[in-house]
Amino acid sequence: MNVRLVLDSSVLVAAMKEADPGHADAVDFLDRLRAAHAAGRAEVFAPPELWFEVRAVAQKLGRFGVPSAWPGMAELLAALAVELVPITSVEEIDVLFERLARHARNHAPFTNATDLVYLWVAFQRSAALVTFDAGLIKYHGRVCDVLRPFHVRLD
């Protein structure tokens, strides 16, 4: 069984912030994901924006006296061999928007471009999106599965 996952920055941010309510679940998930990837059972994808989001949070935490988690996050992302998936054409974006429109079910359209990029990567790679973001979770099933870390099966 090979699990294909898109890693949302909210999971890495929760892992960096011990006070975050999802911290323990994020750390547990990342440990399980690292083991599954090392065993060849998981592939991990993300948009290039992931690096900016995680690095910005690490820098912000450092300004508040929290030791920077960036070296550990960079090492983790390298160990997971996260494949960064860039958008290469407008047509790719249009396909996602058409799919979202077909499955709108009277929901308001997305207004957060960053969230759309994560959904797009999951759609492009036929992967599930792993996140703590409640806004993204509402879109489960529209273009991909959207799961919280503790719901992901890696065995």
Side-chain angles (χ1 to χ4, degrees), residues 30 42 44 54 60 62 66 83 91 98 111 116 131 150 153:
L30 292 170
V44 185
V54 173
K60 183 177 179 181
V66 177
E83 179 186 331
E91 291 78 17
E98 289 167 11
T111 57
L116 281 169
T131 185
F150 46 84
R153 296 195 56 162

Side-chain angles (χ1 to χ4, degrees), residues 8-17 20 53-54 57 61 73:
D8 180 51
S9 61
S10 64
V11 177
L12 295 171
V13 169
M16 287 191 288
K17 297 167 113 179
D20 190 289
E53 291 182 281
V54 173
V57 169
L61 289 172
M73 286 295 115

Side-chain angles (χ1 to χ4, degrees), residues 21-60:
H23 176 75
D25 289 327
V27 170
D28 175 67
F29 168 73
L30 292 170
D31 287 344
R32 292 185 302 115
L33 182 57
R34 187 185 334 227
H37 175 72
R41 296 190 322 264
E43 294 175 80
V44 185
F45 308 95
E49 290 83 352
L50 173 73
W51 291 98
F52 284 102
E53 291 182 281
V54 173
R55 183 65 173 98
V57 169
Q59 183 175 4
K60 183 177 179 181

